[in-house]
């Protein structure tokens, strides 16, 4: 079965711009979570969506937002980009009660802010 | 808050057995998960060991001591392709949230 698909794979933006990243979960998975991965901070939780509702949010500024559509696809948006937003952004999907048995991650979008 | 500590790097030779440790501080503990991530790749689920069950994959197994807030991932019959970063993770359901908290990761280098 198809895995989690993230687009684009790579992105270069300049400071002050905004960016939208997309994630298509595994068919049947209704929960989509987003993580930011940097060498210094590791994997940091951004937010989680379930049935088009944001269920949880991590400790990130309001410039980071997201949404989920009725087909469970999710997008995250970062406005007013800063150099420190350069990171690998990972999306993961799961059956809602299966946190403990594993998220399935996409390959990520590598964002570089210059 | 929640925190998970892992050694930053572990080295081993092909064919050996290696243990990657994780100590955690958490409330409402359910269990410990493990993920593998190759450079530039997606984290992939390896194992879960907790109150509600155990799941392991192939040559990867896990141990958990709730009393010591400690667990480890055991990799047997090491192969070069096992060179990767390994993360432990716990489920965080405090502060009206529900998410996985990941450790800082252990980079495993396997030598011939």
């Amino acid at each position: 079965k198809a895995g989690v698909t993230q687009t684009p794979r790579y992105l270069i933006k300049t400071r002050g711009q905004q960016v939208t990243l997309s994630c298509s979960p595994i068919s049947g998975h209704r929960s989509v979570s987003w993580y930011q991965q940097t060498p210094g901070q590791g994997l940091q939780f951004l937010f989680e969506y379930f049935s088009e509702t944001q269920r949880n949010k991590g400790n990130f500024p309001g410039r980071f937002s997201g949404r989920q559509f009725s087909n469970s696809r999710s997008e995250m948006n970062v406005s007013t980009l800063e150099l420190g937003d350069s990171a690998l952004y990972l999306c993961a999907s799961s059956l809602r009660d299966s946190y403990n048995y594993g998220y399935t991650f996409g390959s990520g979008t590598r964002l570089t802010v210059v | 808050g929640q925190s998970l500590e892992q050694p930053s790097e572990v080295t081993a030779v092909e064919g050996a057995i290696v243990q990657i440790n994780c100590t955690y501080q958490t409330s409402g503990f359910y269990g410990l998960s493990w993920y593998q991530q190759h450079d530039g790749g997606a984290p992939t689920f390896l194992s879960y060991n907790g109150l509600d069950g155990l799941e392991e994959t192939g040559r990867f197994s896990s141990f958990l001591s709730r009393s010591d807030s400690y667990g480890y991932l055991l990799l047997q019959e090491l192969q070069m392709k096992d060179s990767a970063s390994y993360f432990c993770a716990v489920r965080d359901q405090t502060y009206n949230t529900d998410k996985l908290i990941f450790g800082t990761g252990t980079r495993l280098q396997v030598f011939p």
Side-chain angles (χ1 to χ4, degrees), chain A residues 9 35 37 43 45 48 55-57 88 90 96-97 99-103 105-107, chain B residues 30 33 35 37 40 42-43 45 48 52-55 87 91 96-100 102:
Chain A
R9 285 297 311 275
Y35 284 79
Q37 186 175 29
L43 278 156
F45 173 76
E48 184 228 355
R55 299 292 290 263
N56 298 285
K57 184 170 169 60
L88 180 66
L90 292 161
R96 184 64 176 88
D97 295 327
Y99 282 2
N100 295 333
Y101 287 87
Y103 280 176
F105 281 86
S107 295
Chain B
Y30 283 87
S33 301
Y35 286 79
Q37 185 180 31
F45 174 75
Y48 171 74
D52 54 342
L54 170 69
E55 183 170 331
F87 298 88
R91 184 175 182 179
N96 197 33
T97 189
D98 194 354
K99 59 184 182 286
L100 281 185
F102 285 86

Side-chain angles (χ1 to χ4, degrees), chain B residues 11-32:
Chain B
T11 59
V13 296
E14 260 188 311
I17 299 173
V18 74
Q19 176 178 313
I20 298 175
N21 300 323
C22 175
T23 55
Y24 58 88
Q25 283 187 308
T26 182
S27 55
F29 180 77
Y30 283 87
L32 197 65

Side-chain angles (χ1 to χ4, degrees), chain B residues 87-106:
Chain B
F87 298 88
C88 58
V90 294
R91 184 175 182 179
D92 174 16
Q93 289 190 309
T94 57
Y95 305 109
N96 197 33
T97 189
D98 194 354
K99 59 184 182 286
L100 281 185
I101 301 288
F102 285 86
T104 51
T106 299

Side-chain angles (χ1 to χ4, degrees), chain B residues 1-111:
Chain B
Q2 320 278 42
S3 68
L4 298 95
E5 293 188 13
Q6 300 179 238
S8 59
E9 190 170 2
V10 171
T11 59
V13 296
E14 260 188 311
I17 299 173
V18 74
Q19 176 178 313
I20 298 175
N21 300 323
C22 175
T23 55
Y24 58 88
Q25 283 187 308
T26 182
S27 55
F29 180 77
Y30 283 87
L32 197 65
S33 301
W34 290 91
Y35 286 79
Q36 177 194 61
Q37 185 180 31
H38 287 96
D39 287 345
T44 55
F45 174 75
L46 293 176
S47 174
Y48 171 74
N49 192 330
L51 302 176
D52 54 342
L54 170 69
E55 183 170 331
E56 297 174 336
T57 308
R59 296 177 290 110
F60 304 97
S61 58
S62 62
F63 167 82
L64 177 67
S65 169
R66 288 175 57 211
S67 59
D68 296 325
S69 296
Y70 162 76
Y72 63 75
L73 179 72
L74 197 69
L75 293 77
Q76 304 188 59
E77 302 174 9
L78 277 177
Q79 302 175 12
M80 297 296 290
K81 68 179 182 180
D82 296 329
S83 293
S85 293
Y86 292 83
F87 298 88
C88 58
V90 294
R91 184 175 182 179
D92 174 16
Q93 289 190 309
T94 57
Y95 305 109
N96 197 33
T97 189
D98 194 354
K99 59 184 182 286
L100 281 185
I101 301 288
F102 285 86
T104 51
T106 299
R107 188 164 188 84
L108 171 64
Q109 291 194 63
V110 180
F111 294 97

